Amino acid sequence: MSKADIRVNLCGVELKNPVITASGTFGYGQEYTDFMDVSALGGICSKGVTYVPKYGNEGRRLAETPAGLINSIGLQNPGVQHFIDHELPAMLKLGPAVLANLGGASIEDYEAGAALLDATEVPLIELNISCPNVKAGGIAYGVKCESAREVVRRVRAATRKPLIVKLSPQAEDLAAMARTCQEAGADGVSLVNTFTALAIDIERRKPVFNNLYAGLSGPAIKPIALRMVHQVCRAVQIPVVGLGGITSAADAIEFIMAGATAIQVGTANFLRPGIAAEIAAGIQTWCDDHGVKDLNKIRGCV
Amino acid sequence: MAKHVTQAPVLVMDRVTGTVWRLRAGWDGPVRAGQFFMLRGWQGKDPLLARPVSVHDWGAGWVDFLFEVRGEGTRLLSALRPGDTLELTGALGNGFDADLPAGTKVALVGGGIGVAPLLGAARALRAAGCAVTLFVGFRDEPYVLESFEALGCGVQLATDSGRFGHKGFVTDLLNPTEFDRVLVCGPEVMMEKVARACLAAKVPVFVSRESHMACGIGACLGCTCHTKNGPKSTCKDGPVFPGEVLYE
Ligand SMILES: Cc1cc2nc3c(=O)[nH]c(=O)nc-3n(C[C@H](O)[C@H](O)[C@H](O)COP(=O)(O)OP(=O)(O)OC[C@H]3O[C@@H](n4cnc5c(N)ncnc54)[C@H](O)[C@@H]3O)c2cc1C
Ligand SMILES: Cc1cc2nc3c(=O)[nH]c(=O)nc-3n(C[C@H](O)[C@H](O)[C@H](O)COP(=O)(O)O)c2cc1C
Ligand code: FES
């Protein structure tokens, strides 16, 4: 029996399978090479990079909840130019399609970052308008359609690269937000970023994180993320990348049946390095076992 | 293979005192004193993350961990028994530099469970012919001192309760100028106090930092600390840092 075809086309870029590692959970790829065959992945997404380098947030940055993780990293990164000069070349050599995740504190920041990335070999840009952990920018552009329209339009003008806009579950009207991004020139959307959350240290009677609120990810958010991906898939014609709490091939197939073109694996990478490659292999096995000759046949069947 | 993930058999499980356990697991890879592993001793997604635990000691085909039960993760680790398996990712981090000339006088300073990584350091340093003294503070009952004594280390003990050794802080006992080098692991306040005293006395000091961790391999940036050389990951660039990059 011939093997199922699980290749996907994401905004004109061919991925050998639909599994991409999510921004901020896979470093710049290199961190995982001791533990797994990174080339077995469909894609790898960089940590969020910004035009201006950032230390990120002070104080504690991680807290665990039942089947979830709250993070307050705050986009620690060496800046887009450093990324291009030092991290990107090695990342491109790993094999999977590379997504550069771009953040920014202002529209000008986003534009400048996109212009720099436009001159590189990176095949895809993921525009992060959904980071809950930075004071300026980030999620500020991801809640109201009008502010998102402006950033996407301006970044669209700054680059010819395929542009995937990463949406926040905090968007006022997610379907409308996705349509707005499509109208403003996005080639695809990805969702979800983390859910804005809070943890309190009752002994200190203070929030756990200096920044007060932080982002919840992991298996705890999966059913809500899946519903949101399903809604967005029905609202737009461009490809949708689904993520939020995926830890197994079965989870990934759920997102694809909900309509996602590709999926991302985030927090699960912290369960065990190598899990994303296991998920890709698991999708292959599931398709082979179920006589699904082409993964595209099951997409959006729900 | 160097760093990797493995399903390791639990070989020995000892209760050292009330809440402190020693777990010996099967492990064949290379290890350095002061490195750590991510341990996962349960099925399923809760707890979601593996737990960082230092290498306490090691030998051919095994690695020992010494840990204190603090929450659900360490409670589940303490419930493991010989014949069970646990998932180990490691060995991670930089570890202590034990490649010192014979005769070097080294002080190891530990607070509570911070004594855990110092045993491996003591073994490596003794093997190199260094003179090693352990300064260690506990709340009340001391543990694993005999492991250090068996290696021929001097032991200076302090307890908060005064039931054993000097009543008070272990830092009261240490005079850095009597040593060529100091390694320290324990509560942050203690480490800073020791490091500053050493820096003032111009004695090289190395600190094993702790931080909440998710990945343990430098990917999540959850364990970043400020250093003189810019932001560093405790898990990948550390956990051992020269005192002067953290505290000057
Ligand atoms: C590099 C490294 C080496 C370590 N080596 C050892 C060791 O050899 N032996 C040992 O007993 N412990 C060690 N620890 C600490 C150990 O990882 C934690 O005690 C453990 O993760 C707690 O998990 P839990 O589920 O039992 O408790 P949780 O419920 O997760 O936590 C219990 C309490 O401890 C706090 N806490 C948990 N993890 C940390 C942390 N990493 N830093 C500061 N506070 C924390 C929590 O905020 C909470 O208040 C090490 C930590 C690091 C980072
Ligand atoms: C530690 C951590 C760091 C993250 N950093 C970023 C980031 O820099 N940019 C971004 O777009 N998303 C970031 N995210 C969000 C993830 O990419 C993902 O959208 C989210 O965690 C939900 O997926 P998951 O449940 O599979 O983790 C981060 C998440 C975590 C846990
Ligand atoms: S724990 Fe993830 S970078 Fe250190």
Side-chain angles (χ1 to χ4, degrees), chain A residues 24-27 31-32 34-35 47 55 58 60-62 64-69 73 76 219 247 251 267 270-273, chain B residues 1 3-5 40 45-51 87 89 92 212-215 217-222 224-226 231 236:
Chain A
T25 66
F26 209 69
E31 292 81 354
Y32 283 83
D34 282 326
F35 301 96
K47 172 66 191 166
Y55 173 77
E58 299 294 343
R60 190 168 156 185
R61 290 182 172 187
L62 299 165
E64 209 178 330
T65 61
L69 173 66
I73 310 296
Q76 179 188 334
T247 61
D251 291 343
T267 304
F270 308 149
L271 270 70
R272 169 168 74 253
Chain B
M1 195 158 46
K3 288 183 273 187
H4 65 284
V5 186
R40 194 179 184 81
K45 294 163 202 163
D46 195 22
L48 188 63
L49 304 171
R51 296 296 190 256
E87 193 170 86
T89 301
L92 305 173
H212 287 271
M213 292 186 176
C215 69
I217 63 172
C220 74
L221 307 181
T224 305
C225 58
H226 286 285
K236 195 175 181 203

Short mmCIF file of all heavy atoms in Angstrom, two decimals, chain A residues 24-27 31-32 34-35 47 55 58 60-62 64-69 73 76 219 247 251 267 270-273, chain B residues 1 3-5 40 45-51 87 89 92 212-215 217-222 224-226 231 236:
data_model
loop_
_atom_site.label_atom_id
_atom_site.label_comp_id
_atom_site.label_asym_id
_atom_site.label_seq_id
_atom_site.Cartn_x
_atom_site.Cartn_y
_atom_site.Cartn_z
N GLY A 24 8.07 30.79 20.08
CA GLY A 24 8.38 30.95 21.51
C GLY A 24 8.52 29.64 22.25
O GLY A 24 8.86 29.63 23.43
N THR A 25 8.27 28.53 21.56
CA THR A 25 8.37 27.23 22.23
C THR A 25 9.44 26.34 21.60
O THR A 25 9.66 25.22 22.05
CB THR A 25 7.04 26.46 22.18
OG1 THR A 25 6.75 26.12 20.82
CG2 THR A 25 5.90 27.28 22.74
N PHE A 26 10.11 26.86 20.59
CA PHE A 26 11.09 26.04 19.87
C PHE A 26 12.36 26.84 19.61
O PHE A 26 13.16 26.47 18.76
CB PHE A 26 10.46 25.57 18.55
CG PHE A 26 10.99 24.24 18.06
CD1 PHE A 26 10.69 23.07 18.75
CD2 PHE A 26 11.76 24.15 16.92
CE1 PHE A 26 11.16 21.83 18.29
CE2 PHE A 26 12.24 22.92 16.46
CZ PHE A 26 11.93 21.76 17.15
N GLY A 27 12.54 27.90 20.37
CA GLY A 27 13.72 28.74 20.22
C GLY A 27 13.89 29.14 18.77
O GLY A 27 12.96 29.62 18.11
N GLU A 31 18.10 24.63 19.37
CA GLU A 31 18.04 24.11 20.73
C GLU A 31 17.59 22.65 20.77
O GLU A 31 17.87 21.93 21.72
CB GLU A 31 17.07 24.95 21.57
CG GLU A 31 17.55 26.39 21.84
CD GLU A 31 17.31 27.35 20.69
OE1 GLU A 31 16.87 26.91 19.60
OE2 GLU A 31 17.57 28.56 20.87
N TYR A 32 16.88 22.21 19.72
CA TYR A 32 16.27 20.87 19.75
C TYR A 32 17.06 19.82 18.97
O TYR A 32 16.70 18.65 18.99
CB TYR A 32 14.83 20.95 19.21
CG TYR A 32 13.86 21.52 20.22
CD1 TYR A 32 13.72 22.88 20.39
CD2 TYR A 32 13.10 20.67 21.03
CE1 TYR A 32 12.86 23.41 21.34
CE2 TYR A 32 12.23 21.19 21.98
CZ TYR A 32 12.11 22.56 22.13
OH TYR A 32 11.26 23.06 23.08
N ASP A 34 19.82 18.33 19.40
CA ASP A 34 20.41 17.22 20.17
C ASP A 34 19.38 16.12 20.44
O ASP A 34 19.74 14.98 20.71
CB ASP A 34 20.88 17.71 21.55
CG ASP A 34 22.21 18.44 21.47
OD1 ASP A 34 23.02 18.05 20.62
OD2 ASP A 34 22.40 19.38 22.24
N PHE A 35 18.10 16.48 20.44
CA PHE A 35 17.07 15.58 20.94
C PHE A 35 16.22 14.94 19.87
O PHE A 35 15.50 13.97 20.13
CB PHE A 35 16.15 16.33 21.91
CG PHE A 35 16.88 16.92 23.07
CD1 PHE A 35 17.31 18.23 23.06
CD2 PHE A 35 17.20 16.12 24.16
CE1 PHE A 35 18.01 18.75 24.13
CE2 PHE A 35 17.89 16.64 25.24
CZ PHE A 35 18.30 17.96 25.22
N LYS A 47 11.11 32.32 17.62
CA LYS A 47 10.65 33.16 18.73
C LYS A 47 10.24 34.51 18.13
O LYS A 47 10.79 34.92 17.11
CB LYS A 47 11.81 33.33 19.72
CG LYS A 47 11.56 34.34 20.84
CD LYS A 47 10.48 33.87 21.78
CE LYS A 47 10.04 34.99 22.74
NZ LYS A 47 8.77 34.63 23.42
N TYR A 55 14.74 42.73 26.37
CA TYR A 55 15.13 41.80 27.44
C TYR A 55 13.94 40.93 27.81
O TYR A 55 14.09 39.79 28.22
CB TYR A 55 15.62 42.57 28.69
CG TYR A 55 15.85 41.64 29.86
CD1 TYR A 55 17.00 40.84 29.93
CD2 TYR A 55 14.90 41.50 30.88
CE1 TYR A 55 17.20 39.95 30.98
CE2 TYR A 55 15.09 40.61 31.93
CZ TYR A 55 16.24 39.84 31.97
OH TYR A 55 16.42 38.95 33.01
N GLU A 58 10.65 41.35 33.63
CA GLU A 58 11.35 41.09 34.89
C GLU A 58 10.51 40.15 35.75
O GLU A 58 9.31 40.02 35.53
CB GLU A 58 11.56 42.40 35.66
CG GLU A 58 12.40 43.45 34.94
CD GLU A 58 13.85 43.03 34.76
OE1 GLU A 58 14.30 42.10 35.46
OE2 GLU A 58 14.53 43.64 33.91
N ARG A 60 9.25 36.66 37.80
CA ARG A 60 8.95 35.30 37.40
C ARG A 60 8.24 35.29 36.04
O ARG A 60 7.42 36.17 35.77
CB ARG A 60 8.06 34.67 38.47
CG ARG A 60 7.88 33.20 38.31
CD ARG A 60 7.25 32.62 39.56
NE ARG A 60 6.56 31.38 39.21
CZ ARG A 60 5.83 30.68 40.06
NH1 ARG A 60 5.67 31.10 41.31
NH2 ARG A 60 5.25 29.56 39.67
N ARG A 61 8.58 34.29 35.22
CA ARG A 61 8.02 34.25 33.86
C ARG A 61 7.14 33.04 33.58
O ARG A 61 6.53 32.97 32.50
CB ARG A 61 9.17 34.25 32.85
CG ARG A 61 9.93 35.56 32.78
CD ARG A 61 11.03 35.50 31.73
NE ARG A 61 11.63 36.80 31.51
CZ ARG A 61 12.51 37.05 30.55
NH1 ARG A 61 12.92 36.08 29.76
NH2 ARG A 61 13.00 38.26 30.40
N LEU A 62 7.12 32.07 34.47
CA LEU A 62 6.38 30.83 34.21
C LEU A 62 5.57 30.42 35.42
O LEU A 62 6.05 30.54 36.55
CB LEU A 62 7.35 29.68 33.90
CG LEU A 62 8.26 29.81 32.69
CD1 LEU A 62 9.38 28.77 32.77
CD2 LEU A 62 7.48 29.64 31.40
N GLU A 64 2.70 27.06 36.35
CA GLU A 64 1.94 25.94 35.82
C GLU A 64 0.53 25.92 36.40
O GLU A 64 0.34 26.30 37.55
CB GLU A 64 2.68 24.66 36.21
CG GLU A 64 2.49 23.54 35.25
CD GLU A 64 3.29 22.31 35.68
OE1 GLU A 64 4.33 22.45 36.31
OE2 GLU A 64 2.81 21.22 35.37
N THR A 65 -0.42 25.48 35.61
CA THR A 65 -1.79 25.29 36.08
C THR A 65 -2.18 23.88 35.65
O THR A 65 -1.46 23.27 34.86
CB THR A 65 -2.76 26.31 35.44
OG1 THR A 65 -2.74 26.11 34.03
CG2 THR A 65 -2.34 27.74 35.74
N PRO A 66 -3.32 23.34 36.10
CA PRO A 66 -3.67 21.99 35.67
C PRO A 66 -3.71 21.89 34.14
O PRO A 66 -4.48 22.60 33.48
CB PRO A 66 -5.04 21.76 36.31
CG PRO A 66 -5.00 22.61 37.55
CD PRO A 66 -4.24 23.85 37.14
N ALA A 67 -2.83 21.07 33.59
CA ALA A 67 -2.72 20.85 32.15
C ALA A 67 -2.51 22.15 31.36
O ALA A 67 -2.87 22.25 30.20
CB ALA A 67 -3.91 20.08 31.60
N GLY A 68 -1.93 23.14 32.02
CA GLY A 68 -1.69 24.41 31.32
C GLY A 68 -0.43 25.09 31.82
O GLY A 68 0.15 24.70 32.83
N LEU A 69 -0.01 26.10 31.08
CA LEU A 69 1.18 26.87 31.43
C LEU A 69 0.84 28.34 31.21
O LEU A 69 0.27 28.71 30.19
CB LEU A 69 2.34 26.47 30.49
CG LEU A 69 3.62 27.28 30.61
CD1 LEU A 69 4.28 27.08 31.97
CD2 LEU A 69 4.61 26.88 29.49
N ILE A 73 6.85 35.90 29.21
CA ILE A 73 8.22 36.07 28.72
C ILE A 73 8.43 37.53 28.30
O ILE A 73 9.44 38.13 28.62
CB ILE A 73 8.50 35.13 27.51
CG1 ILE A 73 8.11 33.68 27.83
CG2 ILE A 73 9.98 35.24 27.09
CD1 ILE A 73 8.85 32.99 28.91
N GLN A 76 11.28 38.41 24.77
CA GLN A 76 12.75 38.52 24.83
C GLN A 76 13.33 38.11 23.48
O GLN A 76 13.07 37.00 22.99
CB GLN A 76 13.31 37.60 25.92
CG GLN A 76 14.83 37.66 25.99
CD GLN A 76 15.41 36.61 26.94
OE1 GLN A 76 14.74 36.17 27.87
NE2 GLN A 76 16.64 36.21 26.70
N PRO A 219 -2.73 22.04 26.96
CA PRO A 219 -3.93 21.23 26.76
C PRO A 219 -5.20 21.86 27.35
O PRO A 219 -6.30 21.65 26.81
CB PRO A 219 -3.60 19.93 27.51
CG PRO A 219 -2.13 19.86 27.54
CD PRO A 219 -1.62 21.26 27.51
N THR A 247 -1.20 18.14 21.69
CA THR A 247 -0.13 17.30 22.24
C THR A 247 -0.04 15.93 21.56
O THR A 247 0.80 15.12 21.93
CB THR A 247 -0.30 17.04 23.76
OG1 THR A 247 -1.54 16.36 23.95
CG2 THR A 247 -0.31 18.31 24.57
N ASP A 251 -5.08 15.12 18.37
CA ASP A 251 -5.41 16.55 18.53
C ASP A 251 -5.21 17.28 17.20
O ASP A 251 -6.03 18.10 16.78
CB ASP A 251 -4.49 17.21 19.56
CG ASP A 251 -4.73 16.74 20.99
OD1 ASP A 251 -5.79 16.16 21.27
OD2 ASP A 251 -3.83 16.98 21.82
N THR A 267 3.33 24.49 23.53
CA THR A 267 3.67 24.06 24.89
C THR A 267 4.06 22.58 24.96
O THR A 267 4.88 22.19 25.79
CB THR A 267 2.48 24.37 25.82
OG1 THR A 267 2.20 25.77 25.71
CG2 THR A 267 2.77 24.03 27.26
N PHE A 270 7.49 21.22 25.50
CA PHE A 270 8.10 21.20 26.84
C PHE A 270 7.76 19.91 27.58
O PHE A 270 8.33 19.66 28.64
CB PHE A 270 7.63 22.40 27.68
CG PHE A 270 7.78 23.74 27.00
CD1 PHE A 270 6.90 24.77 27.26
CD2 PHE A 270 8.80 23.96 26.08
CE1 PHE A 270 7.03 26.01 26.65
CE2 PHE A 270 8.94 25.20 25.46
CZ PHE A 270 8.04 26.23 25.74
N LEU A 271 6.84 19.13 27.07
CA LEU A 271 6.57 17.85 27.70
C LEU A 271 7.75 16.92 27.46
O LEU A 271 8.15 16.16 28.33
CB LEU A 271 5.30 17.19 27.15
CG LEU A 271 4.01 17.55 27.86
CD1 LEU A 271 3.62 18.99 27.61
CD2 LEU A 271 2.89 16.63 27.43
N ARG A 272 8.25 17.01 26.23
CA ARG A 272 9.36 16.14 25.85
C ARG A 272 9.85 16.66 24.51
O ARG A 272 9.07 16.74 23.57
CB ARG A 272 8.80 14.72 25.68
CG ARG A 272 9.72 13.73 25.04
CD ARG A 272 9.19 12.31 25.19
NE ARG A 272 8.05 12.02 24.33
CZ ARG A 272 6.81 11.90 24.74
NH1 ARG A 272 6.51 12.01 26.01
NH2 ARG A 272 5.84 11.67 23.90
N PRO A 273 11.13 17.07 24.43
CA PRO A 273 11.59 17.52 23.12
C PRO A 273 11.47 16.35 22.14
O PRO A 273 11.79 15.24 22.51
CB PRO A 273 13.05 17.91 23.37
CG PRO A 273 13.44 17.31 24.67
CD PRO A 273 12.19 17.02 25.44
N MET B 1 25.22 8.49 22.71
CA MET B 1 24.57 9.78 22.48
C MET B 1 24.73 10.67 23.73
O MET B 1 24.64 10.19 24.84
CB MET B 1 23.09 9.54 22.17
CG MET B 1 22.44 10.76 21.59
SD MET B 1 20.96 10.47 20.62
CE MET B 1 20.01 9.36 21.58
N LYS B 3 23.29 14.40 25.07
CA LYS B 3 22.00 14.76 25.68
C LYS B 3 20.87 14.02 24.97
O LYS B 3 20.81 14.03 23.76
CB LYS B 3 21.76 16.26 25.50
CG LYS B 3 22.64 17.11 26.36
CD LYS B 3 22.31 18.56 26.19
CE LYS B 3 23.07 19.18 25.04
NZ LYS B 3 22.90 20.63 24.94
N HIS B 4 19.99 13.40 25.71
CA HIS B 4 18.84 12.78 25.06
C HIS B 4 17.71 12.51 26.05
O HIS B 4 17.85 12.74 27.25
CB HIS B 4 19.25 11.51 24.31
CG HIS B 4 19.76 10.41 25.17
ND1 HIS B 4 21.01 10.41 25.73
CD2 HIS B 4 19.19 9.24 25.55
CE1 HIS B 4 21.20 9.30 26.43
NE2 HIS B 4 20.10 8.57 26.34
N VAL B 5 16.59 12.04 25.52
CA VAL B 5 15.44 11.67 26.34
C VAL B 5 15.45 10.16 26.46
O VAL B 5 15.65 9.47 25.46
CB VAL B 5 14.11 12.09 25.67
CG1 VAL B 5 12.93 11.84 26.61
CG2 VAL B 5 14.15 13.54 25.24
N ARG B 40 10.37 13.24 34.64
CA ARG B 40 8.93 13.09 34.51
C ARG B 40 8.62 11.67 34.97
O ARG B 40 9.02 10.71 34.33
CB ARG B 40 8.58 13.26 33.04
CG ARG B 40 7.13 13.46 32.77
CD ARG B 40 6.91 13.66 31.26
NE ARG B 40 5.52 13.93 31.09
CZ ARG B 40 4.99 15.13 31.28
NH1 ARG B 40 5.73 16.15 31.55
NH2 ARG B 40 3.69 15.28 31.18
N LYS B 45 -0.93 14.46 31.45
CA LYS B 45 -0.58 15.86 31.23
C LYS B 45 -0.68 16.71 32.48
O LYS B 45 -0.72 17.94 32.40
CB LYS B 45 -1.49 16.44 30.14
CG LYS B 45 -1.23 15.79 28.80
CD LYS B 45 -2.35 16.04 27.82
CE LYS B 45 -2.33 14.97 26.75
NZ LYS B 45 -3.58 14.91 26.01
N ASP B 46 -0.79 16.10 33.64
CA ASP B 46 -0.90 16.88 34.85
C ASP B 46 -0.12 16.18 35.96
O ASP B 46 -0.52 15.08 36.34
CB ASP B 46 -2.38 17.04 35.24
CG ASP B 46 -2.58 18.13 36.26
OD1 ASP B 46 -1.70 19.00 36.36
OD2 ASP B 46 -3.60 18.12 36.95
N PRO B 47 0.98 16.72 36.43
CA PRO B 47 1.62 17.97 36.00
C PRO B 47 2.04 17.94 34.53
O PRO B 47 2.41 16.90 34.00
CB PRO B 47 2.85 18.08 36.90
CG PRO B 47 2.58 17.20 38.08
CD PRO B 47 1.69 16.12 37.57
N LEU B 48 1.97 19.10 33.93
CA LEU B 48 2.27 19.22 32.51
C LEU B 48 3.78 19.15 32.25
O LEU B 48 4.22 18.51 31.29
CB LEU B 48 1.73 20.57 32.03
CG LEU B 48 1.77 20.82 30.53
CD1 LEU B 48 0.89 19.84 29.79
CD2 LEU B 48 1.30 22.25 30.24
N LEU B 49 4.54 19.82 33.08
CA LEU B 49 5.96 19.96 32.82
C LEU B 49 6.78 18.96 33.62
O LEU B 49 6.40 18.58 34.73
CB LEU B 49 6.42 21.37 33.22
CG LEU B 49 5.67 22.52 32.55
CD1 LEU B 49 6.05 23.85 33.18
CD2 LEU B 49 5.97 22.54 31.05
N ALA B 50 7.93 18.58 33.04
CA ALA B 50 8.89 17.77 33.79
C ALA B 50 9.54 18.67 34.84
O ALA B 50 9.43 19.89 34.77
CB ALA B 50 9.92 17.20 32.82
N ARG B 51 10.21 18.06 35.83
CA ARG B 51 10.79 18.83 36.93
C ARG B 51 12.31 18.80 36.86
O ARG B 51 12.90 17.73 36.74
CB ARG B 51 10.34 18.24 38.27
CG ARG B 51 8.82 18.32 38.51
CD ARG B 51 8.38 19.76 38.59
NE ARG B 51 7.01 19.97 39.04
CZ ARG B 51 5.99 20.29 38.26
NH1 ARG B 51 6.14 20.38 36.96
NH2 ARG B 51 4.79 20.53 38.78
N GLU B 87 10.88 9.27 32.92
CA GLU B 87 11.46 9.85 31.72
C GLU B 87 12.52 10.86 32.13
O GLU B 87 12.24 11.76 32.92
CB GLU B 87 10.35 10.53 30.91
CG GLU B 87 10.77 10.89 29.52
CD GLU B 87 9.55 11.32 28.72
OE1 GLU B 87 9.20 12.51 28.78
OE2 GLU B 87 8.94 10.47 28.05
N THR B 89 15.34 13.66 30.70
CA THR B 89 15.93 14.42 29.61
C THR B 89 17.21 15.05 30.14
O THR B 89 17.17 15.78 31.14
CB THR B 89 14.96 15.51 29.11
OG1 THR B 89 13.76 14.89 28.68
CG2 THR B 89 15.57 16.30 27.97
N LEU B 92 21.65 18.19 31.33
CA LEU B 92 21.48 19.55 30.85
C LEU B 92 22.33 20.55 31.65
O LEU B 92 22.68 20.30 32.80
CB LEU B 92 20.00 19.95 30.94
CG LEU B 92 19.02 19.01 30.23
CD1 LEU B 92 17.58 19.40 30.53
CD2 LEU B 92 19.26 19.01 28.73
N HIS B 212 12.31 28.88 37.89
CA HIS B 212 11.23 28.09 37.30
C HIS B 212 11.62 27.78 35.86
O HIS B 212 12.16 28.64 35.18
CB HIS B 212 9.92 28.86 37.34
CG HIS B 212 9.36 28.95 38.72
ND1 HIS B 212 8.52 27.99 39.23
CD2 HIS B 212 9.54 29.85 39.71
CE1 HIS B 212 8.20 28.30 40.47
NE2 HIS B 212 8.81 29.43 40.79
N MET B 213 11.35 26.57 35.43
CA MET B 213 11.75 26.17 34.08
C MET B 213 10.59 25.45 33.37
O MET B 213 9.81 24.75 34.02
CB MET B 213 12.94 25.22 34.14
CG MET B 213 14.20 25.88 34.62
SD MET B 213 15.62 24.78 34.51
CE MET B 213 16.91 25.92 35.02
N ALA B 214 10.54 25.61 32.04
CA ALA B 214 9.57 24.83 31.26
C ALA B 214 10.32 23.83 30.39
O ALA B 214 10.11 22.63 30.47
CB ALA B 214 8.69 25.74 30.42
N CYS B 215 11.27 24.32 29.56
CA CYS B 215 11.90 23.42 28.60
C CYS B 215 13.20 22.81 29.12
O CYS B 215 13.52 21.67 28.80
CB CYS B 215 12.17 24.15 27.28
SG CYS B 215 13.45 25.42 27.39
N ILE B 217 16.09 23.55 28.09
CA ILE B 217 17.11 23.45 27.02
C ILE B 217 17.35 24.77 26.28
O ILE B 217 17.93 24.78 25.21
CB ILE B 217 16.74 22.34 26.00
CG1 ILE B 217 15.42 22.66 25.28
CG2 ILE B 217 16.63 20.99 26.70
CD1 ILE B 217 15.12 21.69 24.13
N GLY B 218 16.87 25.87 26.85
CA GLY B 218 17.17 27.17 26.25
C GLY B 218 16.19 27.63 25.19
O GLY B 218 16.47 28.57 24.44
N ALA B 219 15.00 27.01 25.14
CA ALA B 219 14.06 27.33 24.07
C ALA B 219 12.93 28.27 24.50
O ALA B 219 12.42 29.02 23.68
CB ALA B 219 13.46 26.04 23.50
N CYS B 220 12.52 28.23 25.75
CA CYS B 220 11.30 28.98 26.13
C CYS B 220 11.61 30.37 26.69
O CYS B 220 10.73 31.22 26.73
CB CYS B 220 10.47 28.18 27.13
SG CYS B 220 11.14 28.09 28.82
N LEU B 221 12.83 30.59 27.14
CA LEU B 221 13.25 31.87 27.73
C LEU B 221 12.49 32.18 29.01
O LEU B 221 12.32 33.35 29.37
CB LEU B 221 13.13 33.02 26.70
CG LEU B 221 13.84 32.76 25.37
CD1 LEU B 221 13.69 33.96 24.44
CD2 LEU B 221 15.31 32.44 25.57
N GLY B 222 12.07 31.14 29.70
CA GLY B 222 11.36 31.32 30.96
C GLY B 222 12.28 31.45 32.15
O GLY B 222 11.85 31.81 33.24
N THR B 224 15.34 33.17 32.21
CA THR B 224 16.38 34.17 31.91
C THR B 224 16.79 34.96 33.16
O THR B 224 15.94 35.29 33.97
CB THR B 224 15.85 35.15 30.84
OG1 THR B 224 15.43 34.40 29.72
CG2 THR B 224 16.90 36.16 30.43
N CYS B 225 18.07 35.22 33.29
CA CYS B 225 18.53 36.12 34.36
C CYS B 225 19.44 37.19 33.76
O CYS B 225 20.02 37.01 32.70
CB CYS B 225 19.26 35.33 35.44
SG CYS B 225 20.69 34.40 34.88
N HIS B 226 19.51 38.31 34.47
CA HIS B 226 20.44 39.37 34.07
C HIS B 226 21.86 38.96 34.44
O HIS B 226 22.07 38.45 35.53
CB HIS B 226 20.13 40.66 34.84
CG HIS B 226 18.91 41.37 34.37
ND1 HIS B 226 18.88 42.10 33.21
CD2 HIS B 226 17.68 41.48 34.91
CE1 HIS B 226 17.67 42.64 33.06
NE2 HIS B 226 16.92 42.27 34.07
N PRO B 231 21.47 39.11 28.93
CA PRO B 231 20.53 38.08 29.39
C PRO B 231 21.06 36.67 29.12
O PRO B 231 21.58 36.41 28.04
CB PRO B 231 19.26 38.36 28.59
CG PRO B 231 19.64 39.27 27.49
CD PRO B 231 20.92 39.94 27.85
N LYS B 236 20.49 26.73 30.16
CA LYS B 236 21.46 26.39 29.12
C LYS B 236 22.82 27.03 29.36
O LYS B 236 23.85 26.36 29.23
CB LYS B 236 20.90 26.86 27.77
CG LYS B 236 21.64 26.25 26.62
CD LYS B 236 21.01 26.61 25.30
CE LYS B 236 21.78 25.95 24.18
NZ LYS B 236 21.55 26.70 22.94
#
